[in-house]
Amino acid sequence: MPLSRRSLLIAAGAATPLLLARPAFAAPPDLATPEGWLAWAAAHRDGLGLVLDDGRGGRLAHRADAAQPLASAVKVLHLAAYQNAVASGALDPREDVRVGDWERYYVPTDGGAHPAALQHLGVPLDETGLHAADPERRVTLDDVVAVMIAFSDSAAPDLLRDRLGAHAVTRAGAARGWPDADVRSLCAEYLFLVLPETAPPAGIPQAARQEWGFALEQRHRDDPALRQEVLRRLQTQLPTYPEQIAWASTTASGSSARVAAVHRALSGEGGLARGHLEHALAGSLPPGVSGVGLKGGSLPHVLTCGISVRREDGSTGWGALLAHGEITAEQLSTGDPGLPLLMAIQDPRWRDRFATALGG
């Protein structure tokens, strides 16, 4: 089974029109296999950020501090902030959330993650297949967080950040080894792609871009007409794949070292966050492993994942892989960045092969 949940950009439920891969002269490596990742890493050393520690003295790092697009791997920060808020009593995981309020942050460019999340929670879809048929339906806050991780729902992190404040998310990251994290609005970033006229000026500082995005997110949240315009635009004016690639390079970034640090911390803390991260693989663990927590993501030309591996002997491995470069639509749909991480953490021979591919 796949080791990560990937989110591919779509429009109105159709993936193919929005993901148009360029013709290739040779078959690209299969990123659903470990050998494929070796080949990709060897050919794209300047596009890979990697850090891992097997918890037994074995380590590997390559461009570990280089900032690269994070895609949905950034959501581990929102999960950490949620854990802090529950621990302090600021949030109750049993709180009822109106689905219509959750969906005010939703831009249908997530590869069907939100509709899949709704169906998983037993919420019927409307005739478009994108939203809840009844916006008055209630789910628990912990349900929303669970599908943020399991299905990579991209409205959930904005709902959490808006409730808690951006500083709560950055503080949660800083306390776990990720200072000055980029916690801009995901809703706004998608709107910049779908409605390019709403995008901030080129070269604007990160802090100003973040505030611009928060203001646009609030407009989207509070203005049904804007949400309708987004749907109309997605049905009539799809961004080209080159436009998507250029846009993805401007989205939230961070380093593999920072992503890995948060996964390591949350694994050690236990509680709700570790439970959500480890849920997907709870029924298919390797021998001697008591838990594998991970959160991955994808955007055009981007595949990412952070991971932790708890073993029955008490040791813990951890790491992160951020890939950015020539990645086709097919590779995005099948590629699994968690696979090479898990293998390199668990098998020293595989880690050595990875190091060789990276020129080490």
Side-chain angles (χ1 to χ4, degrees), residues 9 189-190 192-193 242-251 299-300:
L9 286 169
E189 292 298 311
Y190 290 130
F192 297 157
L193 174 67
E243 287 171 340
Q244 293 176 57
I245 292 170
W247 163 82
S249 297
T250 70
T251 56
L299 291 172

Side-chain angles (χ1 to χ4, degrees), residues 7 19 53 59 117 136 139 151 196 199 329 338 349 351:
S7 300
L19 285 171
D53 187 317
R59 298 179 177 86
E136 296 301 325
V139 296
F151 292 90
R349 295 169 299 178
R351 186 175 64 248

Side-chain angles (χ1 to χ4, degrees), residues 37-48:
W37 274 104
L38 281 181
W40 194 93
H44 300 88
R45 293 172 182 170
D46 291 340
L48 184 71

Side-chain angles (χ1 to χ4, degrees), residues 103-114:
E103 292 191 325
R104 290 180 179 181
Y105 301 88
Y106 172 49
V107 181
T109 52
D110 63 352
H114 181 69

Side-chain angles (χ1 to χ4, degrees), residues 22 28-29 31 37 40-41 43-49 63 68-69 241 244-246 248-249 299-304 321-329 331-332:
R22 298 191 311 176
L31 299 186
W37 274 104
W40 194 93
H44 300 88
R45 293 172 182 170
D46 291 340
L48 184 71
R63 300 180 68 249
Q68 301 213 152
Y241 196 56
Q244 293 176 57
I245 292 170
S249 297
L299 291 172
H301 275 197
V302 177
L303 275 171
T304 64
L321 182 154
L322 307 179
H324 182 208
E326 292 291 332
I327 302 174
T328 68
Q331 287 172 312
L332 284 175

Side-chain angles (χ1 to χ4, degrees), residues 83 176 264-276 278 310:
Q83 174 142 304
R176 295 166 174 87
R264 179 188 188 186
L266 292 177
S267 177
E269 293 172 25
L272 289 171
R274 188 171 79 186
H276 286 311
E278 293 186 353
R310 292 187 302 111

